[in-house]
Amino acid sequence: MTDIRQDWSKEEIEEIYDTPLLELIYRAATIHREFHNSQEVQMCTLLSVKTGGCSEDCAYCPQSARYQTAVKPEKMMDVEKVLLSAKCAKESGTTRFCLGAAWRQVRTSKDFDKVCDMVKGITSLGMEACCTLGMITPDQAKKLKDAGLHAYNHNLDSSREFYGKIITTRTYDERLETLENIRNANITVCCGGIVGMGETKEDRIGLLHTLATLPEHPESVPINALIAIPGTPLENQKRISVWEMARMVATARILMPKAMVRLSAGRINMSDLEQAFCFMAGANSIHTGEKLLTTPAPGVDGDQQLFDLLGLKPAALKPSKVEEMAS
Ligand code: SAM
Ligand code: DTB
Ligand code: SF4
């Protein structure tokens, strides 16, 4: 039985990351099968409920007001419209619906009340509700928990050392504080990062080290491959190689065996074979649907075809979770 450890050293992580590739994948695939049903993949759908006009300077992001991108700022979506979208997503097999807002941080406001209503509605549809709204205080986290929130996504994005080259308007420690506030409110933590921003292997290992040595591992770890978006400072970054992506997924799987490791942004630029390799490496969750937040995704039909090809099926919610939601 594999132990769950929070005391990984950077050297140990580097050794895992550098294992000959096929051996690494085999190890990750074995641990994957010890903790999960390897034929099931969790389906999550994203919806941007407040798009664009963000004050932050995240160098990868098309929603920052500082960059000239194709994303135009929009006002907060209506609760009814969001719940209609959630219903459609449920019909296509999604079990988690995630609301994104282009905010630096949550402000206690009418818009935040709307998000709480959306969370209530999604939960009562029998799906896990997730939010990604930027930094959050303990009080705001408690409000979301009371509304039924299951998970909160807040990424560390990269290593502490590389982070400052990508974002200057909020610190790594502020991110860690938000993660603590989510954990303390008994909301599950979804936290990962982006590869392909020009970081080194050491930065990727640094990110994995921070995640795997948190007081509790995140329940879900999104691994995003940068989508280089015209108008952002990272617009000319070359696509990351699938081998690096697979090493990242496999190492995350070995370090945090219980976590859902999500093949997040970037699938649109990956072939079926490349995605299959990442599933083999231990990824067991994806964002499905036509869009991520602002960029196109392979779509429900594309995902279905891939699943048919690989003999994968969308994971159902655990029966205990369904009971909890109904109560
Ligand atoms: N504004 C909130 C925040 O920053 O916490 C929530 C939304 S933000 C868009 C959620 C995450 O999406 C970011 O932390 C980043 O990891 C990921 N992301 C954004 N743009 C991306 C891109 N172009 N390629 C890959 N991942 C991206
Ligand atoms: C995460 O780690 N990746 C998702 C989700 N969490 C919110 C977002 C990816 C966004 C990609 C760029 C876009 O579509 O705007
Ligand atoms: Fe704003 Fe989030 Fe985009 Fe950063 S990642 S610019 S905080 S929407």
Side-chain angles (χ1 to χ4, degrees), residues 134-181:
M135 296 187 291
I136 189 165
T137 66
D139 269 3
Q140 293 161 343
K142 184 174 179 309
K143 281 212 177 76
L144 285 170
K145 173 71 187 175
D146 291 345
L149 190 73
H150 177 78
Y152 196 92
N153 166 248
H154 196 65
N155 290 339
L156 287 167
D157 282 345
S158 195
S159 67
R160 182 183 279 280
E161 295 73 23
F162 190 68
Y163 180 92
K165 298 204 173 75
I166 297 294
I167 302 151
T168 69
T169 49
R170 59 182 167 175
T171 66
Y172 212 68
D173 285 322
E174 283 176 313
R175 297 243 180 181
L176 287 167
E177 199 180 315
T178 282
L179 294 176
E180 200 179 318
N181 295 343

mmCIF file of all heavy atoms in Angstrom, residues 134-181:
data_model
loop_
_atom_site.group_PDB
_atom_site.id
_atom_site.type_symbol
_atom_site.label_atom_id
_atom_site.label_comp_id
_atom_site.label_asym_id
_atom_site.label_seq_id
_atom_site.Cartn_x
_atom_site.Cartn_y
_atom_site.Cartn_z
ATOM 1 N N GLY A 134 -10.570 34.284 -7.506
ATOM 2 C CA GLY A 134 -9.434 35.048 -6.984
ATOM 3 C C GLY A 134 -9.291 34.855 -5.480
ATOM 4 O O GLY A 134 -9.790 33.874 -4.926
ATOM 5 N N MET A 135 -8.638 35.826 -4.826
ATOM 6 C CA MET A 135 -8.363 35.672 -3.383
ATOM 7 C C MET A 135 -9.662 35.776 -2.583
ATOM 8 O O MET A 135 -10.611 36.456 -3.004
ATOM 9 C CB MET A 135 -7.392 36.755 -2.930
ATOM 10 C CG MET A 135 -6.045 36.624 -3.606
ATOM 11 S SD MET A 135 -4.829 37.754 -2.967
ATOM 12 C CE MET A 135 -5.430 39.320 -3.541
ATOM 13 N N ILE A 136 -9.664 35.122 -1.436
ATOM 14 C CA ILE A 136 -10.911 35.051 -0.672
ATOM 15 C C ILE A 136 -10.606 35.074 0.823
ATOM 16 O O ILE A 136 -9.592 34.524 1.260
ATOM 17 C CB ILE A 136 -11.685 33.782 -1.106
ATOM 18 C CG1 ILE A 136 -13.077 33.742 -0.517
ATOM 19 C CG2 ILE A 136 -10.956 32.496 -0.787
ATOM 20 C CD1 ILE A 136 -13.963 32.716 -1.194
ATOM 21 N N THR A 137 -11.467 35.733 1.602
ATOM 22 C CA THR A 137 -11.268 35.826 3.060
ATOM 23 C C THR A 137 -11.963 34.643 3.742
ATOM 24 O O THR A 137 -12.830 33.992 3.140
ATOM 25 C CB THR A 137 -11.879 37.131 3.611
ATOM 26 O OG1 THR A 137 -13.309 37.049 3.437
ATOM 27 C CG2 THR A 137 -11.355 38.371 2.900
ATOM 28 N N PRO A 138 -11.644 34.396 5.022
ATOM 29 C CA PRO A 138 -12.317 33.304 5.744
ATOM 30 C C PRO A 138 -13.840 33.485 5.757
ATOM 31 O O PRO A 138 -14.587 32.526 5.567
ATOM 32 C CB PRO A 138 -11.734 33.396 7.160
ATOM 33 C CG PRO A 138 -10.403 34.040 6.977
ATOM 34 C CD PRO A 138 -10.556 34.984 5.820
ATOM 35 N N ASP A 139 -14.323 34.699 5.946
ATOM 36 C CA ASP A 139 -15.783 34.947 6.000
ATOM 37 C C ASP A 139 -16.463 34.623 4.675
ATOM 38 O O ASP A 139 -17.535 34.019 4.634
ATOM 39 C CB ASP A 139 -16.040 36.442 6.256
ATOM 40 C CG ASP A 139 -16.142 36.705 7.730
ATOM 41 O OD1 ASP A 139 -15.947 35.728 8.492
ATOM 42 O OD2 ASP A 139 -16.398 37.880 8.090
ATOM 43 N N GLN A 140 -15.833 35.077 3.596
ATOM 44 C CA GLN A 140 -16.412 34.818 2.261
ATOM 45 C C GLN A 140 -16.397 33.322 1.961
ATOM 46 O O GLN A 140 -17.357 32.789 1.389
ATOM 47 C CB GLN A 140 -15.621 35.577 1.194
ATOM 48 C CG GLN A 140 -15.774 37.077 1.307
ATOM 49 C CD GLN A 140 -14.663 37.830 0.587
ATOM 50 O OE1 GLN A 140 -13.604 37.271 0.265
ATOM 51 N NE2 GLN A 140 -14.889 39.106 0.348
ATOM 52 N N ALA A 141 -15.334 32.639 2.381
ATOM 53 C CA ALA A 141 -15.255 31.186 2.153
ATOM 54 C C ALA A 141 -16.396 30.502 2.910
ATOM 55 O O ALA A 141 -17.041 29.593 2.386
ATOM 56 C CB ALA A 141 -13.900 30.664 2.603
ATOM 57 N N LYS A 142 -16.649 30.983 4.120
ATOM 58 C CA LYS A 142 -17.722 30.359 4.920
ATOM 59 C C LYS A 142 -19.078 30.565 4.227
ATOM 60 O O LYS A 142 -19.908 29.652 4.168
ATOM 61 C CB LYS A 142 -17.735 30.965 6.332
ATOM 62 C CG LYS A 142 -18.761 30.287 7.218
ATOM 63 C CD LYS A 142 -18.729 30.744 8.642
ATOM 64 C CE LYS A 142 -19.804 30.027 9.459
ATOM 65 N NZ LYS A 142 -21.148 30.057 8.877
ATOM 66 N N LYS A 143 -19.275 31.767 3.682
ATOM 67 C CA LYS A 143 -20.547 32.037 2.966
ATOM 68 C C LYS A 143 -20.724 31.062 1.804
ATOM 69 O O LYS A 143 -21.815 30.541 1.571
ATOM 70 C CB LYS A 143 -20.568 33.471 2.429
ATOM 71 C CG LYS A 143 -20.887 34.488 3.481
ATOM 72 C CD LYS A 143 -21.647 35.686 2.873
ATOM 73 C CE LYS A 143 -22.046 36.684 3.943
ATOM 74 N NZ LYS A 143 -20.890 37.513 4.407
ATOM 75 N N LEU A 144 -19.648 30.839 1.059
ATOM 76 C CA LEU A 144 -19.739 29.919 -0.082
ATOM 77 C C LEU A 144 -19.978 28.489 0.399
ATOM 78 O O LEU A 144 -20.745 27.739 -0.210
ATOM 79 C CB LEU A 144 -18.461 29.989 -0.925
ATOM 80 C CG LEU A 144 -18.314 31.230 -1.801
ATOM 81 C CD1 LEU A 144 -16.920 31.308 -2.404
ATOM 82 C CD2 LEU A 144 -19.365 31.229 -2.924
ATOM 83 N N LYS A 145 -19.328 28.141 1.490
ATOM 84 C CA LYS A 145 -19.525 26.789 2.045
ATOM 85 C C LYS A 145 -21.012 26.633 2.440
ATOM 86 O O LYS A 145 -21.647 25.608 2.140
ATOM 87 C CB LYS A 145 -18.607 26.596 3.263
ATOM 88 C CG LYS A 145 -18.824 25.307 4.021
ATOM 89 C CD LYS A 145 -18.334 24.115 3.217
ATOM 90 C CE LYS A 145 -18.704 22.801 3.881
ATOM 91 N NZ LYS A 145 -18.358 21.643 3.066
ATOM 92 N N ASP A 146 -21.557 27.662 3.089
ATOM 93 C CA ASP A 146 -22.963 27.594 3.509
ATOM 94 C C ASP A 146 -23.895 27.483 2.302
ATOM 95 O O ASP A 146 -24.976 26.903 2.387
ATOM 96 C CB ASP A 146 -23.343 28.826 4.351
ATOM 97 C CG ASP A 146 -22.645 28.802 5.707
ATOM 98 O OD1 ASP A 146 -22.125 27.721 6.083
ATOM 99 O OD2 ASP A 146 -22.575 29.859 6.369
ATOM 100 N N ALA A 147 -23.471 28.048 1.173
ATOM 101 C CA ALA A 147 -24.298 27.958 -0.048
ATOM 102 C C ALA A 147 -24.173 26.573 -0.691
ATOM 103 O O ALA A 147 -24.884 26.260 -1.635
ATOM 104 C CB ALA A 147 -23.868 29.040 -1.033
ATOM 105 N N GLY A 148 -23.213 25.770 -0.205
ATOM 106 C CA GLY A 148 -23.086 24.388 -0.721
ATOM 107 C C GLY A 148 -21.833 24.164 -1.561
ATOM 108 O O GLY A 148 -21.699 23.111 -2.190
ATOM 109 N N LEU A 149 -20.909 25.146 -1.572
ATOM 110 C CA LEU A 149 -19.726 25.000 -2.443
ATOM 111 C C LEU A 149 -18.910 23.756 -2.085
ATOM 112 O O LEU A 149 -18.597 23.516 -0.930
ATOM 113 C CB LEU A 149 -18.821 26.237 -2.331
ATOM 114 C CG LEU A 149 -17.720 26.260 -3.392
ATOM 115 C CD1 LEU A 149 -18.310 26.601 -4.760
ATOM 116 C CD2 LEU A 149 -16.632 27.274 -3.046
ATOM 117 N N HIS A 150 -18.551 23.000 -3.116
ATOM 118 C CA HIS A 150 -17.779 21.776 -2.901
ATOM 119 C C HIS A 150 -16.277 22.038 -3.014
ATOM 120 O O HIS A 150 -15.483 21.519 -2.248
ATOM 121 C CB HIS A 150 -18.204 20.717 -3.935
ATOM 122 C CG HIS A 150 -17.413 19.461 -3.836
ATOM 123 N ND1 HIS A 150 -17.659 18.518 -2.867
ATOM 124 C CD2 HIS A 150 -16.347 19.003 -4.542
ATOM 125 C CE1 HIS A 150 -16.788 17.524 -2.990
ATOM 126 N NE2 HIS A 150 -15.981 17.796 -4.007
ATOM 127 N N ALA A 151 -15.893 22.834 -4.031
ATOM 128 C CA ALA A 151 -14.457 23.020 -4.292
ATOM 129 C C ALA A 151 -14.171 24.462 -4.685
ATOM 130 O O ALA A 151 -15.041 25.159 -5.231
ATOM 131 C CB ALA A 151 -14.016 22.095 -5.437
ATOM 132 N N TYR A 152 -12.944 24.899 -4.393
ATOM 133 C CA TYR A 152 -12.513 26.241 -4.825
ATOM 134 C C TYR A 152 -11.190 26.086 -5.558
ATOM 135 O O TYR A 152 -10.274 25.437 -5.068
ATOM 136 C CB TYR A 152 -12.349 27.161 -3.608
ATOM 137 C CG TYR A 152 -12.277 28.627 -3.978
ATOM 138 C CD1 TYR A 152 -13.425 29.412 -4.006
ATOM 139 C CD2 TYR A 152 -11.067 29.227 -4.312
ATOM 140 C CE1 TYR A 152 -13.375 30.759 -4.358
ATOM 141 C CE2 TYR A 152 -10.996 30.574 -4.673
ATOM 142 C CZ TYR A 152 -12.159 31.331 -4.686
ATOM 143 O OH TYR A 152 -12.114 32.667 -5.040
ATOM 144 N N ASN A 153 -11.121 26.648 -6.763
ATOM 145 C CA ASN A 153 -9.888 26.579 -7.553
ATOM 146 C C ASN A 153 -9.079 27.862 -7.369
ATOM 147 O O ASN A 153 -9.580 28.966 -7.574
ATOM 148 C CB ASN A 153 -10.223 26.383 -9.041
ATOM 149 C CG ASN A 153 -9.017 26.646 -9.929
ATOM 150 O OD1 ASN A 153 -8.973 27.605 -10.688
ATOM 151 N ND2 ASN A 153 -8.006 25.817 -9.826
ATOM 152 N N HIS A 154 -7.848 27.693 -6.946
ATOM 153 C CA HIS A 154 -6.933 28.822 -6.831
ATOM 154 C C HIS A 154 -5.547 28.267 -7.097
ATOM 155 O O HIS A 154 -5.040 27.461 -6.314
ATOM 156 C CB HIS A 154 -7.044 29.424 -5.422
ATOM 157 C CG HIS A 154 -6.457 30.787 -5.309
ATOM 158 N ND1 HIS A 154 -6.968 31.878 -5.985
ATOM 159 C CD2 HIS A 154 -5.402 31.258 -4.610
ATOM 160 C CE1 HIS A 154 -6.254 32.949 -5.694
ATOM 161 N NE2 HIS A 154 -5.296 32.598 -4.857
ATOM 162 N N ASN A 155 -4.941 28.648 -8.201
ATOM 163 C CA ASN A 155 -3.687 28.025 -8.617
ATOM 164 C C ASN A 155 -2.470 28.778 -8.099
ATOM 165 O O ASN A 155 -2.488 30.002 -7.991
ATOM 166 C CB ASN A 155 -3.618 27.974 -10.153
ATOM 167 C CG ASN A 155 -4.610 26.988 -10.741
ATOM 168 O OD1 ASN A 155 -5.073 26.083 -10.043
ATOM 169 N ND2 ASN A 155 -4.946 27.159 -12.009
ATOM 170 N N LEU A 156 -1.404 28.023 -7.838
ATOM 171 C CA LEU A 156 -0.123 28.659 -7.496
ATOM 172 C C LEU A 156 0.633 29.014 -8.774
ATOM 173 O O LEU A 156 1.592 29.765 -8.747
ATOM 174 C CB LEU A 156 0.717 27.726 -6.622
ATOM 175 C CG LEU A 156 0.225 27.586 -5.183
ATOM 176 C CD1 LEU A 156 0.916 26.419 -4.497
ATOM 177 C CD2 LEU A 156 0.470 28.880 -4.398
ATOM 178 N N ASP A 157 0.188 28.428 -9.871
ATOM 179 C CA ASP A 157 0.692 28.712 -11.226
ATOM 180 C C ASP A 157 2.108 28.206 -11.517
ATOM 181 O O ASP A 157 2.346 27.593 -12.535
ATOM 182 C CB ASP A 157 0.571 30.194 -11.597
ATOM 183 C CG ASP A 157 -0.868 30.559 -11.979
ATOM 184 O OD1 ASP A 157 -1.667 29.639 -12.218
ATOM 185 O OD2 ASP A 157 -1.201 31.763 -12.020
ATOM 186 N N SER A 158 3.091 28.512 -10.625
ATOM 187 C CA SER A 158 4.457 28.013 -10.876
ATOM 188 C C SER A 158 5.221 27.957 -9.559
ATOM 189 O O SER A 158 4.613 27.996 -8.488
ATOM 190 C CB SER A 158 5.155 28.916 -11.901
ATOM 191 O OG SER A 158 6.316 28.256 -12.388
ATOM 192 N N SER A 159 6.543 27.890 -9.645
ATOM 193 C CA SER A 159 7.352 27.889 -8.417
ATOM 194 C C SER A 159 7.322 29.294 -7.807
ATOM 195 O O SER A 159 7.034 30.275 -8.501
ATOM 196 C CB SER A 159 8.796 27.548 -8.760
ATOM 197 O OG SER A 159 9.355 28.597 -9.532
ATOM 198 N N ARG A 160 7.680 29.378 -6.553
ATOM 199 C CA ARG A 160 7.772 30.694 -5.891
ATOM 200 C C ARG A 160 8.759 31.589 -6.648
ATOM 201 O O ARG A 160 8.522 32.780 -6.828
ATOM 202 C CB ARG A 160 8.227 30.490 -4.444
ATOM 203 C CG ARG A 160 8.307 31.752 -3.631
ATOM 204 C CD ARG A 160 8.818 31.490 -2.241
ATOM 205 N NE ARG A 160 7.821 30.985 -1.319
ATOM 206 C CZ ARG A 160 6.919 31.720 -0.682
ATOM 207 N NH1 ARG A 160 6.875 33.012 -0.867
ATOM 208 N NH2 ARG A 160 6.059 31.167 0.148
ATOM 209 N N GLU A 161 9.853 30.988 -7.137
ATOM 210 C CA GLU A 161 10.901 31.769 -7.798
ATOM 211 C C GLU A 161 10.437 32.324 -9.138
ATOM 212 O O GLU A 161 10.719 33.465 -9.474
ATOM 213 C CB GLU A 161 12.153 30.898 -8.036
ATOM 214 C CG GLU A 161 12.860 30.426 -6.767
ATOM 215 C CD GLU A 161 12.120 29.324 -6.000
ATOM 216 O OE1 GLU A 161 11.307 28.608 -6.642
ATOM 217 O OE2 GLU A 161 12.325 29.182 -4.779
ATOM 218 N N PHE A 162 9.698 31.532 -9.905
ATOM 219 C CA PHE A 162 9.298 31.969 -11.258
ATOM 220 C C PHE A 162 8.041 32.849 -11.212
ATOM 221 O O PHE A 162 7.825 33.684 -12.091
ATOM 222 C CB PHE A 162 9.038 30.737 -12.147
ATOM 223 C CG PHE A 162 8.855 31.075 -13.605
ATOM 224 C CD1 PHE A 162 9.918 31.554 -14.363
ATOM 225 C CD2 PHE A 162 7.621 30.923 -14.224
ATOM 226 C CE1 PHE A 162 9.754 31.874 -15.714
ATOM 227 C CE2 PHE A 162 7.443 31.239 -15.576
ATOM 228 C CZ PHE A 162 8.520 31.715 -16.306
ATOM 229 N N TYR A 163 7.233 32.659 -10.198
ATOM 230 C CA TYR A 163 5.948 33.347 -10.055
ATOM 231 C C TYR A 163 6.069 34.865 -10.321
ATOM 232 O O TYR A 163 5.274 35.447 -11.050
ATOM 233 C CB TYR A 163 5.404 33.062 -8.641
ATOM 234 C CG TYR A 163 4.087 33.708 -8.338
ATOM 235 C CD1 TYR A 163 2.885 33.035 -8.577
ATOM 236 C CD2 TYR A 163 4.027 34.998 -7.808
ATOM 237 C CE1 TYR A 163 1.668 33.637 -8.302
ATOM 238 C CE2 TYR A 163 2.811 35.606 -7.533
ATOM 239 C CZ TYR A 163 1.641 34.916 -7.776
ATOM 240 O OH TYR A 163 0.438 35.512 -7.513
ATOM 241 N N GLY A 164 7.122 35.473 -9.730
ATOM 242 C CA GLY A 164 7.301 36.928 -9.838
ATOM 243 C C GLY A 164 7.529 37.398 -11.273
ATOM 244 O O GLY A 164 7.328 38.571 -11.584
ATOM 245 N N LYS A 165 7.953 36.494 -12.155
ATOM 246 C CA LYS A 165 8.163 36.879 -13.560
ATOM 247 C C LYS A 165 6.832 36.878 -14.317
ATOM 248 O O LYS A 165 6.752 37.356 -15.448
ATOM 249 C CB LYS A 165 9.114 35.891 -14.247
ATOM 250 C CG LYS A 165 10.489 35.858 -13.618
ATOM 251 C CD LYS A 165 11.524 35.365 -14.646
ATOM 252 C CE LYS A 165 12.934 35.486 -14.125
ATOM 253 N NZ LYS A 165 13.267 34.457 -13.140
ATOM 254 N N ILE A 166 5.794 36.314 -13.719
ATOM 255 C CA ILE A 166 4.520 36.122 -14.415
ATOM 256 C C ILE A 166 3.426 37.045 -13.849
ATOM 257 O O ILE A 166 2.560 37.527 -14.573
ATOM 258 C CB ILE A 166 4.085 34.633 -14.278
ATOM 259 C CG1 ILE A 166 5.107 33.721 -14.967
ATOM 260 C CG2 ILE A 166 2.687 34.354 -14.807
ATOM 261 C CD1 ILE A 166 5.187 33.894 -16.474
ATOM 262 N N ILE A 167 3.511 37.292 -12.540
ATOM 263 C CA ILE A 167 2.495 38.122 -11.878
ATOM 264 C C ILE A 167 3.203 39.024 -10.882
ATOM 265 O O ILE A 167 3.991 38.540 -10.067
ATOM 266 C CB ILE A 167 1.494 37.230 -11.085
ATOM 267 C CG1 ILE A 167 0.829 36.234 -12.018
ATOM 268 C CG2 ILE A 167 0.445 38.078 -10.368
ATOM 269 C CD1 ILE A 167 0.428 34.949 -11.344
ATOM 270 N N THR A 168 2.894 40.323 -10.955
ATOM 271 C CA THR A 168 3.529 41.209 -9.966
ATOM 272 C C THR A 168 2.494 41.797 -9.011
ATOM 273 O O THR A 168 2.849 42.426 -8.024
ATOM 274 C CB THR A 168 4.295 42.367 -10.644
ATOM 275 O OG1 THR A 168 3.316 43.231 -11.249
ATOM 276 C CG2 THR A 168 5.268 41.881 -11.709
ATOM 277 N N THR A 169 1.201 41.626 -9.335
ATOM 278 C CA THR A 169 0.185 42.361 -8.569
ATOM 279 C C THR A 169 -0.368 41.602 -7.361
ATOM 280 O O THR A 169 -1.219 42.121 -6.659
ATOM 281 C CB THR A 169 -0.966 42.772 -9.506
ATOM 282 O OG1 THR A 169 -1.366 41.620 -10.266
ATOM 283 C CG2 THR A 169 -0.542 43.864 -10.466
ATOM 284 N N ARG A 170 0.045 40.386 -7.166
ATOM 285 C CA ARG A 170 -0.242 39.707 -5.894
ATOM 286 C C ARG A 170 0.799 38.623 -5.656
ATOM 287 O O ARG A 170 1.383 38.114 -6.600
ATOM 288 C CB ARG A 170 -1.680 39.162 -5.840
ATOM 289 C CG ARG A 170 -1.983 38.184 -6.916
ATOM 290 C CD ARG A 170 -3.432 37.723 -6.837
ATOM 291 N NE ARG A 170 -3.728 37.030 -8.077
ATOM 292 C CZ ARG A 170 -4.849 36.413 -8.326
ATOM 293 N NH1 ARG A 170 -5.817 36.427 -7.444
ATOM 294 N NH2 ARG A 170 -5.034 35.788 -9.455
ATOM 295 N N THR A 171 1.032 38.322 -4.372
ATOM 296 C CA THR A 171 2.201 37.508 -4.034
ATOM 297 C C THR A 171 1.853 36.028 -3.878
ATOM 298 O O THR A 171 0.689 35.656 -3.725
ATOM 299 C CB THR A 171 2.822 37.983 -2.705
ATOM 300 O OG1 THR A 171 1.871 37.720 -1.664
ATOM 301 C CG2 THR A 171 3.170 39.460 -2.741
ATOM 302 N N TYR A 172 2.908 35.223 -3.900
ATOM 303 C CA TYR A 172 2.774 33.777 -3.679
ATOM 304 C C TYR A 172 2.163 33.523 -2.295
ATOM 305 O O TYR A 172 1.306 32.663 -2.137
ATOM 306 C CB TYR A 172 4.174 33.153 -3.757
ATOM 307 C CG TYR A 172 4.214 31.748 -4.292
ATOM 308 C CD1 TYR A 172 3.899 31.482 -5.618
ATOM 309 C CD2 TYR A 172 4.618 30.684 -3.485
ATOM 310 C CE1 TYR A 172 3.980 30.185 -6.134
ATOM 311 C CE2 TYR A 172 4.706 29.386 -3.991
ATOM 312 C CZ TYR A 172 4.384 29.144 -5.319
ATOM 313 O OH TYR A 172 4.458 27.867 -5.828
ATOM 314 N N ASP A 173 2.609 34.323 -1.321
ATOM 315 C CA ASP A 173 2.091 34.113 0.044
ATOM 316 C C ASP A 173 0.606 34.447 0.131
ATOM 317 O O ASP A 173 -0.127 33.800 0.867
ATOM 318 C CB ASP A 173 2.902 34.935 1.057
ATOM 319 C CG ASP A 173 4.263 34.288 1.291
ATOM 320 O OD1 ASP A 173 4.312 33.038 1.332
ATOM 321 O OD2 ASP A 173 5.264 35.009 1.390
ATOM 322 N N GLU A 174 0.168 35.441 -0.641
ATOM 323 C CA GLU A 174 -1.275 35.746 -0.648
ATOM 324 C C GLU A 174 -2.059 34.556 -1.219
ATOM 325 O O GLU A 174 -3.141 34.222 -0.752
ATOM 326 C CB GLU A 174 -1.544 37.008 -1.474
ATOM 327 C CG GLU A 174 -1.176 38.276 -0.736
ATOM 328 C CD GLU A 174 -1.332 39.538 -1.575
ATOM 329 O OE1 GLU A 174 -0.882 39.572 -2.744
ATOM 330 O OE2 GLU A 174 -1.901 40.503 -1.045
ATOM 331 N N ARG A 175 -1.488 33.921 -2.226
ATOM 332 C CA ARG A 175 -2.142 32.733 -2.804
ATOM 333 C C ARG A 175 -2.242 31.630 -1.754
ATOM 334 O O ARG A 175 -3.265 30.961 -1.628
ATOM 335 C CB ARG A 175 -1.342 32.208 -3.991
ATOM 336 C CG ARG A 175 -1.270 33.181 -5.125
ATOM 337 C CD ARG A 175 -1.952 32.608 -6.339
ATOM 338 N NE ARG A 175 -1.861 33.564 -7.425
ATOM 339 C CZ ARG A 175 -2.367 33.376 -8.612
ATOM 340 N NH1 ARG A 175 -2.991 32.261 -8.898
ATOM 341 N NH2 ARG A 175 -2.267 34.290 -9.542
ATOM 342 N N LEU A 176 -1.132 31.441 -1.031
ATOM 343 C CA LEU A 176 -1.118 30.371 -0.009
ATOM 344 C C LEU A 176 -2.135 30.683 1.093
ATOM 345 O O LEU A 176 -2.789 29.777 1.624
ATOM 346 C CB LEU A 176 0.290 30.219 0.578
ATOM 347 C CG LEU A 176 1.293 29.568 -0.379
ATOM 348 C CD1 LEU A 176 2.721 29.739 0.126
ATOM 349 C CD2 LEU A 176 0.988 28.074 -0.576
ATOM 350 N N GLU A 177 -2.291 31.967 1.395
ATOM 351 C CA GLU A 177 -3.260 32.349 2.440
ATOM 352 C C GLU A 177 -4.687 32.006 1.998
ATOM 353 O O GLU A 177 -5.477 31.495 2.779
ATOM 354 C CB GLU A 177 -3.124 33.849 2.686
ATOM 355 C CG GLU A 177 -3.706 34.290 4.014
ATOM 356 C CD GLU A 177 -3.537 35.789 4.171
ATOM 357 O OE1 GLU A 177 -2.433 36.319 3.881
ATOM 358 O OE2 GLU A 177 -4.531 36.441 4.547
ATOM 359 N N THR A 178 -4.986 32.275 0.725
ATOM 360 C CA THR A 178 -6.315 31.923 0.207
ATOM 361 C C THR A 178 -6.533 30.412 0.298
ATOM 362 O O THR A 178 -7.602 29.953 0.709
ATOM 363 C CB THR A 178 -6.497 32.435 -1.236
ATOM 364 O OG1 THR A 178 -6.775 33.827 -1.151
ATOM 365 C CG2 THR A 178 -7.637 31.772 -1.972
ATOM 366 N N LEU A 179 -5.494 29.636 -0.034
ATOM 367 C CA LEU A 179 -5.633 28.172 0.039
ATOM 368 C C LEU A 179 -5.949 27.745 1.472
ATOM 369 O O LEU A 179 -6.788 26.861 1.711
ATOM 370 C CB LEU A 179 -4.351 27.484 -0.448
ATOM 371 C CG LEU A 179 -4.020 27.672 -1.932
ATOM 372 C CD1 LEU A 179 -2.687 27.022 -2.275
ATOM 373 C CD2 LEU A 179 -5.122 27.087 -2.820
ATOM 374 N N GLU A 180 -5.313 28.417 2.427
ATOM 375 C CA GLU A 180 -5.558 28.097 3.841
ATOM 376 C C GLU A 180 -6.996 28.457 4.231
ATOM 377 O O GLU A 180 -7.669 27.703 4.938
ATOM 378 C CB GLU A 180 -4.557 28.898 4.672
ATOM 379 C CG GLU A 180 -4.347 28.358 6.063
ATOM 380 C CD GLU A 180 -3.323 29.215 6.803
ATOM 381 O OE1 GLU A 180 -2.298 29.601 6.187
ATOM 382 O OE2 GLU A 180 -3.581 29.515 7.986
ATOM 383 N N ASN A 181 -7.466 29.608 3.735
ATOM 384 C CA ASN A 181 -8.838 30.024 4.054
ATOM 385 C C ASN A 181 -9.867 29.044 3.488
ATOM 386 O O ASN A 181 -10.898 28.781 4.106
ATOM 387 C CB ASN A 181 -9.112 31.434 3.513
ATOM 388 C CG ASN A 181 -8.253 32.479 4.194
ATOM 389 O OD1 ASN A 181 -7.696 32.217 5.259
ATOM 390 N ND2 ASN A 181 -8.138 33.647 3.597
#
